[in-house]
Amino acid sequence: MIIIPGPASLELGSKVAELSGAKAMPIEYKFFPDGESYIRFTGDVKGANVVLIQTIGPPQDTHLVQALLMADAAKDLGARRIMLVAPYFAYTRQDRRFLEGEAVSLQTATRLLKAVGVKELITINSHSPNLLEKTGIKVRNLSAIGLLAGYFKAQGFSGALSLAPGKRAAIMAVEAERILKGGCDFLKTKRDLVTGKAVVEVGKLDVKDRDAIIFDDIISTGNTMAEAVRIVKELGAKRVYAACVHPLLIGGAGEKILKNGAEKIVGTDTVPSPIGAISVAPLIADALRRRL
Ligand code: R5P
């Protein structure tokens, strides 16, 4: 197995290679003056099982093209099998046609990967695991919620309430609860199909004087999490923490969440960010080990 960390995941890719005891092959990459991406492998991949590690976070389009170039090059150069590890896989929120005439972006992204020879995909807390599985690429959707909940447990938060913003995210609260053992619940959210902005609705939540941790897969603009934090605080929670797997943190997302009353925001390193305290490298290395 040869691990090739892509330009978007150089640090994470090296950590995974080190933990898996596998050979990491560096690549050369650059941008031409007009912005086009360039990729060159520095070693031989002929006959090898190649694992490309490239998160597809912002700038998503560039990172997707780099992943395509790497996979296609590996295919051309005779790799036996190509796996892509994309800890964050963009476009999963546009996994169907919500409004007439829309492009189904996730379908396009996965069709492209399949066309350049990607046979397997490992990702983490995908927003749309079901659709990914229908693409014909073998998909493993890992969960980093255990790592996040474990972090809070180690910080003395056993018994804290695990919450999620939205019914779809409730599974994350259930998973965290198995570790924190303080009960779980979810807030109701509605999303505007044009602006994409979520409206968090107040439901019945028994949070009074409790420590609560809100788990979500993605923090992008931070609107969803900031609203959830505000409501949980208003309902009388003692301390509220925000935890997410993919801290995209667009604009002032982090500040917004803290301003609304969160004590702290904790994320993983699926995408580079200032709050990625928890590394998913052991999770990925373990998944690669189990596959061999
Ligand atoms: C939505 O369904 C996701 O789970 C996240 O809640 C959402 O992507 C967060 O987006 P934003 O931070 O822009 O509100």
Side-chain angles (χ1 to χ4, degrees), residues 214 218-230 233 240-244 249 252-266 275:
I214 308 175
I218 305 166
I219 295 179
S220 179
T221 64
N223 286 333
T224 310
M225 187 59 89
E227 267 303 276
V229 167
R230 186 184 64 75
K233 280 295 277 186
V240 183
Y241 291 80
C244 80
L249 301 183
E255 293 72 20
K256 210 183 291 177
I257 294 165
L258 294 173
K259 213 172 119 205
N260 274 14
E263 303 286 331
K264 192 176 177 182
I265 314 167
V266 178
I275 60 147

Side-chain angles (χ1 to χ4, degrees), residues 14 19 23 28 70 77 117 199 215 223 242 246 253 269 278:
S14 304
L19 289 173
K23 196 171 136 196
E28 278 176 25
M70 288 193 292
L77 295 169
V199 181
F215 293 88
N223 286 333
H246 310 296
D269 61 351
I278 298 155

Side-chain angles (χ1 to χ4, degrees), residues 111-129:
R111 278 181 176 165
L112 289 169
L113 289 172
K114 203 171 159 198
V116 294
V118 173
K119 294 270 189 277
E120 293 177 67
L121 171 69
I122 291 185
T123 189
I124 301 181
N125 293 96
S126 167
H127 197 70
S128 186

